[in-house]
Amino acid sequence: MKIRSNLVLLFSIALLMAACDKKEDVVTEPTKPVQVNHERDIFYTVASNGAFSGFSANTIHLSTDDEWDNLLEQFCNYAQEGEQVTFRNAIPHSQPKLQKASKDAPTTITTTSRAEIKAWMKEMEMAGKTVNVTFDSDTGTWTGRAYDSVAPPTVDTEVRDITGTIVFLPTPAVQNPPVGGIVMALRVNANEVYILVMQGMLLWFGDDTPSEDLALIEGSEATFRGATGVCTDLNNNDFQILDLEMTDNVIISF
């Protein structure tokens, strides 16, 4: 019995060694590197700088970094065509270290490099900011500005139509250092002035926006549909907002 047991053991070991040798002879394909991707819901607006005829707004879902890079290329193209592009990511990032590094990056940039403006836009998107990009065809210069998005109203209110006149106000102190510029608002009466917000994005214009462009719509009567709310800036000053009801491919014309 002992001899038979030893033979069975030796036979089992031989089979095991043969199986190992067989595995070593198998040629395997090299493992391809796995691309790290982040899902994004990018809400963006495109506004005509010259004619100032209105805004078009869209939301696009991205699954890969390649799709994100292609969209940034399109944003650059829009800017080169004379449009003002503003965007933000509605999906917050879950990488605190990257967020911290991005928040330390400068919130304004002026460059003649397409690659540099794209890299900066990626930094600002990672930081969770709203990003505004324009292009000066006379100098070939990109200008980027980024600011913190406005938080939605703390209390849900009914969506309704509100009519008033369009005015422009100094940008609320939503971040430090201040972003500057002006924002579009709707004045109903002396006590009701609502800063217009789209998906947390202010309808913002830089100090270099031609005054004649703003004059085209300032004082015009308009009706917007949305929910009202109150926000508090960094100086503890309250301001009223009208969070516009948005749908895909919406166009706001004046």
Side-chain angles (χ1 to χ4, degrees), residues 95-153:
Q95 302 179 28
K97 289 184 179 180
L98 291 177
Q99 287 180 7
K100 178 62 170 62
S102 298
K103 287 180 179 179
D104 291 340
T107 55
T108 59
I109 186 174
T110 301
T111 178
T112 57
S113 169
R114 188 185 185 102
E116 187 175 4
I117 192 68
K118 282 180 57 182
W120 177 84
M121 285 192 282
K122 290 179 180 180
E123 285 281 335
M124 294 300 99
E125 181 270 338
M126 184 66 70
K129 293 186 178 293
T130 292
V131 183
N132 177 279
V133 177
T134 57
F135 182 78
D136 186 339
S137 58
D138 292 333
T139 61
T141 302
W142 308 89
T143 299
R145 307 171 183 88
Y147 57 87
D148 290 335
S149 302
V150 176

Side-chain angles (χ1 to χ4, degrees), residues 152-167:
T154 54
V155 179
D156 291 334
T157 58
E158 183 181 356
V159 174
R160 57 194 177 99
D161 293 328
I162 298 181
T163 300
T165 56
I166 294 175
V167 296

Side-chain angles (χ1 to χ4, degrees), residues 127-237:
K129 293 186 178 293
T130 292
V131 183
N132 177 279
V133 177
T134 57
F135 182 78
D136 186 339
S137 58
D138 292 333
T139 61
T141 302
W142 308 89
T143 299
R145 307 171 183 88
Y147 57 87
D148 290 335
S149 302
V150 176
T154 54
V155 179
D156 291 334
T157 58
E158 183 181 356
V159 174
R160 57 194 177 99
D161 293 328
I162 298 181
T163 300
T165 56
I166 294 175
V167 296
F168 294 95
L169 305 175
T171 304
V174 294
Q175 71 177 27
N176 190 22
V179 67
I182 55 177
V183 293
M184 188 184 296
L186 187 69
R187 183 186 300 277
V188 179
N189 54 52
N191 298 319
E192 283 187 84
V193 182
Y194 299 100
I195 291 178
L196 302 180
V197 176
M198 295 190 299
Q199 299 280 352
M201 289 171 25
L202 300 167
L203 273 64
W204 181 89
F205 303 90
D207 294 322
D208 56 349
T209 304
S211 58
E212 57 268 23
D213 287 350
L214 301 177
L216 291 174
I217 63 170
E218 189 170 19
S220 301
E221 184 175 293
T223 299
F224 293 102
R225 184 171 181 80
T228 61
V230 177
C231 295
T232 304
D233 66 15
L234 298 181
N235 298 323
N236 290 321
N237 296 319

Side-chain angles (χ1 to χ4, degrees), residues 27-73:
V27 178
T28 58
E29 292 288 336
T31 303
K32 295 181 179 180
V34 178
Q35 183 183 14
V36 178
N37 297 316
H38 304 286
E39 289 196 357
R40 297 172 174 87
D41 278 344
I42 301 296
F43 176 78
Y44 68 93
T45 64
V46 178
S48 299
N49 273 342
F52 202 75
S53 57
F55 294 86
S56 63
N58 297 273
T59 301
I60 184 169
H61 179 79
L62 307 176
S63 300
T64 70
D65 291 341
D66 286 342
E67 292 175 345
W68 174 223
D69 195 73
N70 290 336
L71 183 60
L72 290 177
E73 283 287 342

